[in-house]
Amino acid sequence: MPLPTVIVPGYLESAIAYRELEHSLEQLGFPTITVSLRRRDWIPTIGGRSVTPILQQLDHTVKKMLQKHQATQVNLIGHSAGGWISRIYLGDQPYAARGEVKSFVWEAHPLVATLISLGTPHISQERWTRQNLDFVTNNYPGAFYKHVRYVCVAGKTIFGARQRGSWLAYSSYQLTCGIGNTWGDGITPIASAHLEGAENLVIAGVRHSPRNRGIWYGSSEPLKTWVNYLI
């Protein structure tokens, strides 16, 4: 039987946006739940502060799914920031970001069989996210835990340029990887979405968010590219 799967929402996103992806995975036989976040749950993390409140809800969801399905492991699907937040969750180093006194350790890597990141900026030059991302990069570089399968999915949809229709992508790519004139999903450039040692995939035509018009990573056709990596 396939392992239970937990979806980790992107930054400032709620669980509601992932209901269609949940349903698609359920139809394919994967028992799936999204961490039950509301947009306001992200407020304490704004400005580069600790993402501990999100990690605590993630841990609660994983433990609930393990118990419900009598399983020893889960799959994690992290969309956008949910991907690097999941990497903190796997880790065994004390985590405390700006504005937090107490350090936390989840050491969840034995509980995770596969981590799939969708449009995740695994690196960033942006001042408010860099502290958290530097923590991840310095402590868990690349596909760090060899017993965890890392799958990093990027989109090749919009080429960043200083012109109408591509300006947002250009600015976002530049803030993320330092280069605006590159390909990405409109928010995350390919250069930031991949990890050394991971299964790195590129899907043409996908937009970054489930709230974007058109096709995103969790739509029916792109889903076929990465779903077979789930266990």
Side-chain angles (χ1 to χ4, degrees):
M1 181 177 177
L3 292 178
T5 295
V6 175
I7 301 170
V8 189
Y11 192 60
L12 297 178
E13 194 53 271
S14 65
I16 295 171
Y18 302 89
R19 291 291 184 254
E20 186 176 337
L21 175 55
E22 270 187 46
H23 179 70
S24 296
L25 292 171
E26 290 275 359
Q27 291 292 100
L28 293 170
F30 296 95
T32 305
I33 192 171
T34 303
V35 180
S36 57
L37 296 172
R38 302 159 297 179
R39 286 189 164 185
R40 63 177 175 267
D41 291 330
W42 293 92
I43 293 174
T45 74
I46 290 174
R49 292 195 290 269
S50 168
V51 294
T52 295
I54 309 302
L55 287 156
Q56 289 171 327
Q57 291 202 50
L58 169 56
D59 185 57
H60 173 75
T61 305
V62 167
K63 299 292 176 53
K64 182 171 69 174
M65 286 294 272
L66 290 172
Q67 183 177 26
K68 179 179 178 180
H69 296 281
Q70 295 297 292
T72 57
Q73 288 187 307
V74 299
N75 299 310
L76 290 183
I77 299 173
H79 170 237
S80 196
W84 59 258
I85 288 171
S86 295
R87 292 170 66 201
I88 296 176
Y89 178 61
L90 296 181
D92 52 14
Q93 296 301 309
Y95 167 75
R98 187 172 70 84
E100 186 172 81
V101 176
K102 185 179 178 181
S103 295
F104 293 84
V105 179
W106 283 271
E107 203 169 359
H109 57 91
L111 305 179
V112 177
T114 301
L115 168 59
I116 297 181
S117 65
L118 306 176
T120 293
H122 289 293
I123 59 171
S124 179
Q125 307 297 317
E126 203 273 324
R127 64 178 293 199
W128 299 120
T129 57
R130 187 163 182 172
Q131 182 173 349
N132 276 310
L133 282 169
D134 282 353
F135 172 85
V136 180
T137 300
N138 293 336
N139 287 284
Y140 317 113
F144 187 75
Y145 291 104
K146 302 309 176 187
H147 52 281
V148 177
R149 188 177 202 177
Y150 293 76
V151 181
C152 299
V153 189
K156 186 177 182 181
T157 308
I158 300 176
F159 187 83
R162 294 181 175 180
Q163 62 185 36
R164 187 175 181 179
S166 303
W167 183 261
L168 174 61
Y170 177 92
S171 301
S172 182
Y173 300 165
Q174 189 171 51
L175 278 172
T176 306
C177 71
I179 302 171
N181 298 118
T182 190
W183 283 98
D185 62 15
I187 298 295
T188 302
I190 295 172
S192 296
H194 286 167
L195 287 172
E196 184 176 353
E199 299 271 1
N200 292 313
L201 311 177
V202 176
I203 304 178
V206 294
R207 297 275 181 161
H208 180 75
S209 170
R211 294 186 182 273
N212 288 138
R213 290 182 180 180
I215 297 172
W216 84 290
Y217 294 98
S219 298
S220 57
E221 284 303 310
L223 177 62
K224 295 174 184 177
T225 302
W226 55 264
V227 71
N228 290 331
Y229 290 92
L230 294 175
I231 296 175

